[in-house]
Amino acid sequence: MKSITVQSLCEAFHLEVLAGSGRMDREITRSKAHRPGLEFVGYFDFFPMERVQVLGRKEITYLLTLSVEERLLHIGNIVKYHPPCFIVTTNQQEIPYITLFCEQEGIPLLRTKDTTTEFIAKVDRYLTKELAPEMSIHGVCLNVAGIGILLRGKSGIGKSETAHTLIRRGHRLVADDIVVLKKLGPGTLLGTHNETTREFLALRSIGLINVVRQYGRTAFQDESRIVLDIELTSWQDRALNNELEVEHKQTDYLGVQIPYIEIQLQPGRDVAGLIEAAANSWYLKQLGYSAAEEFISRIDELES
């Protein structure tokens, strides 16, 4: 199971450490933060103790309405489950009673200036990405007109050269050589780089280039949702037919099905242009349009 430390979370959001600084190595394994509401009134049947616990203005205000004895009882009941950490939002100050418990139990207590809604939205996105199941594959990841594309093929087939052509046409590189795929949901696959190769593109006969330095900031983006898997293959005579609609194929990555397209290479073929066409075609299909269906409809109208 993937995990990150409370220290990593603290650094990512510049959180203030109020207590438990000696246990910043505690691990976070669940991707959603939790606001302990029902737990403060004694209901613990479904308490997600593995999650980051966020204390907003509503929770702190409720605790302040209690007597000292009740307050200590309710807080103690939650702290004994030893969640990874507590995070107080909106820079709230009246929390010495929570600080005491967290210091005693070795649970990091952190604070942010963000409002509860803002912080939970940000931390949930962060944890979802950091804890997502992932795999690495050999290929290139691009964002073509806002559409994430995974470009695969044997070494030396021309993936990076094709990517370079697309970048010069105004599209964006995400990753070259090693593409990290993360499953963010049942149907969502994110493509990104491994930090080491960030912004770099390797071109045979030229070497390594930094696309941002060479073509500007718009030539690169950190990540993109993958919606097309395109494989470049060697040309095979009579292997391709000029069909109205090609056979629908898919590739499985981490349990996510991605539409698959094979593009065969031949001197003079505008591979970058074909990839642009594939991306635009996919987008139109999401809007409910099919060129093949429109063509057949025209034929039917002529014959009727």
Side-chain angles (χ1 to χ4, degrees):
M1 179 181 293
K2 293 186 64 178
S3 66
I4 65 167
T5 63
V6 173
Q7 180 67 43
S8 297
L9 181 68
C10 185
E11 292 172 356
F13 292 94
H14 308 289
L15 303 175
E16 179 185 0
V17 181
L18 302 176
S21 58
R23 290 304 315 274
M24 297 295 284
D25 60 342
R26 290 174 64 91
E27 294 186 342
I28 301 170
T29 59
R30 296 286 294 277
S31 61
K32 296 290 185 181
H34 175 68
R35 297 182 69 174
L38 289 174
E39 290 78 17
F40 278 138
V41 295
Y43 186 77
F44 287 89
D45 284 4
F46 300 98
F47 179 44
M49 65 187 76
E50 307 92 345
R51 294 182 180 177
V52 170
Q53 305 297 313
V54 176
L55 303 176
R57 193 178 297 278
K58 180 170 62 176
E59 289 79 19
I60 299 299
T61 301
Y62 169 73
L63 289 172
L64 291 173
T65 65
L66 305 176
S67 66
V68 174
E69 292 76 13
E70 290 176 323
R71 189 184 308 157
L72 295 178
L73 175 64
H74 289 314
I75 296 171
N77 285 339
I78 292 180
V79 169
K80 70 180 181 182
Y81 284 93
H82 285 83
C85 64
F86 289 94
I87 301 177
V88 177
T89 62
T90 326
N91 203 29
Q92 296 176 89
Q93 304 292 321
E94 299 179 20
I95 51 174
Y97 46 91
I98 301 176
T99 305
L100 177 64
F101 269 97
C102 289
E103 201 65 66
Q104 290 176 344
E105 297 295 328
I107 302 173
L109 175 63
L110 313 171
R111 183 161 59 195
T112 176
K113 295 179 181 178
D114 291 341
T115 66
T116 308
T117 302
E118 290 172 341
F119 181 74
I120 287 180
K122 290 195 293 187
V123 80
D124 281 355
R125 286 196 299 269
Y126 172 80
L127 291 176
T128 296
K129 290 181 181 179
E130 291 297 313
L131 301 177
E134 67 177 51
M135 63 181 291
S136 297
I137 67 167
H138 176 66
V140 181
C141 182
L142 297 151
N143 185 282
V144 177
I147 295 168
I149 289 178
L150 186 61
L151 192 60
R152 297 186 297 111
K154 294 181 179 179
S155 182
I157 196 78
K159 300 182 297 296
S160 296
E161 289 82 356
T162 301
H164 180 254
T165 301
L166 287 164
I167 291 167
R168 293 198 62 192
R169 292 185 181 186
H171 307 295
R172 298 182 176 185
L173 174 71
V174 175
D176 180 41
D177 190 33
I178 299 174
V179 181
V180 179
L181 301 177
K182 295 188 176 187
K183 181 181 179 180
L184 301 188
T188 303
L189 191 70
L190 188 75
T192 187
H193 50 81
N194 67 350
E195 290 295 338
T196 304
T197 60
R198 188 177 189 271
E199 300 178 359
F200 288 124
L201 182 67
L203 299 173
R204 291 176 185 270
S205 303
I206 302 298
L208 209 60
I209 68 169
N210 184 308
V211 298
V212 172
R213 294 292 185 92
Q214 195 144 338
Y215 299 112
R217 175 52 55 187
T218 57
F220 174 81
Q221 68 181 56
D222 269 313
E223 58 192 31
S224 183
R225 181 188 174 191
I226 303 296
V227 298
L228 279 179
D229 179 31
I230 297 179
E231 183 179 12
L232 303 184
T233 61
S234 300
W235 182 267
Q236 299 178 35
D237 289 337
R238 294 182 294 277
L240 298 178
N241 298 311
N242 190 22
E243 300 172 341
L244 294 181
E245 194 77 66
V246 297
E247 180 185 356
H248 181 69
K249 297 180 180 179
Q250 291 187 319
T251 312
D252 184 288
Y253 295 107
L254 298 169
V256 180
Q257 298 291 315
I258 303 296
Y260 167 85
I261 297 172
E262 178 188 1
I263 295 180
Q264 294 188 9
L265 305 183
Q266 189 182 50
R269 259 198 135 190
D270 181 9
V271 179
L274 291 173
I275 292 173
E276 289 176 321
N280 290 330
S281 179
W282 177 88
Y283 177 72
L284 289 173
K285 285 180 180 178
Q286 307 314 299
L287 299 178
Y289 173 79
S290 168
E293 290 179 3
E294 182 181 5
F295 180 77
I296 293 172
S297 176
R298 290 182 184 181
I299 298 297
D300 290 341
E301 288 178 3
L302 289 174
E303 293 178 348
S304 62

